[in-house]
């Protein structure tokens, strides 16, 4: 079994910062791309940022220059540093990872989500 557990969400004023963390545990042979998605009420889940095992990053246009994704491969963790937060960043943030448990196929796993609320 594989588990992803997020932490670090909360309530912050506009212009503030939060750092989300996600740890992967369980039967892990290797982890490929890791990422953060978010879903606001009434909207589809959208990609915020992702990072490959080699460190290549990709960001949604709406967060470029404000958010930074990073990972610690030794600890099986991924982080999202969120600065200059805006009310429209409010959403449930989900951690995501492509994981191989046995060295063959990769499957996409999701965390349970952590709420981020930005007040104006």
């Amino acid at each position: 079994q594989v588990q992803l557990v997020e932490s670090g969400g909360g309530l912050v004023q506009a212009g503030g910062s939060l750092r989300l963390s996600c740890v992967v545990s369980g039967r892990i042979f290797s982890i490929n791309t890791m990422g953060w998605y978010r879903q606001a009420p009434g909207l589809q889940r959208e990609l915020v940022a992702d990072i490959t095992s080699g460190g290549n990053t990709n960001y949604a246009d709406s967060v470029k220059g404000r958010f930074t994704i990073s990972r610690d491969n030794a600890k099986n963790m991924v982080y999202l540093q969120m600065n200059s937060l805006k009310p429209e960043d409010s959403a449930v943030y989900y951690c995501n990872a492509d994981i191989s448990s046995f060295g063959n196929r990769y499957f996409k796993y999701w965390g349970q989500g952590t709420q981020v609320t930005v007040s104006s």
Side-chain angles (χ1 to χ4, degrees):
Q1 296 290 347
V2 173
Q3 282 190 316
L4 281 67
V5 179
E6 302 101 334
S7 61
L11 173 64
V12 64
Q13 288 189 332
S17 298
L18 283 174
R19 187 189 192 217
L20 305 183
S21 300
C22 173
V23 59
V24 182
S25 62
R27 188 177 184 92
I28 303 166
F29 181 83
S30 68
I31 303 175
N32 197 354
T33 300
M34 304 181 81
W36 290 94
Y37 288 69
R38 66 187 181 187
Q39 187 168 20
L43 299 179
Q44 289 189 331
R45 190 173 298 189
E46 62 175 0
L47 174 68
V48 176
D50 59 24
I51 182 168
T52 67
S53 57
N56 293 318
T57 58
N58 174 50
Y59 294 93
D61 288 342
S62 60
V63 306
K64 282 180 181 177
R66 300 188 298 121
F67 291 10
T68 302
I69 189 170
S70 61
R71 63 190 283 172
D72 185 330
N73 291 329
K75 296 181 179 179
N76 293 331
M77 294 192 71
V78 62
Y79 308 95
L80 185 68
Q81 178 66 43
M82 304 186 294
N83 298 329
S84 302
L85 282 161
K86 304 175 182 180
E88 52 264 42
D89 294 317
S90 297
V92 177
Y93 283 70
Y94 297 91
C95 175
N96 165 277
D98 295 331
I99 299 170
S100 173
S101 293
F102 301 99
N104 45 12
R105 296 176 62 186
Y106 284 84
F107 294 91
K108 194 175 293 291
Y109 292 88
W110 294 89
Q112 81 287 351
T114 185
Q115 178 70 48
V116 171
T117 303
V118 184
S119 63
S120 57

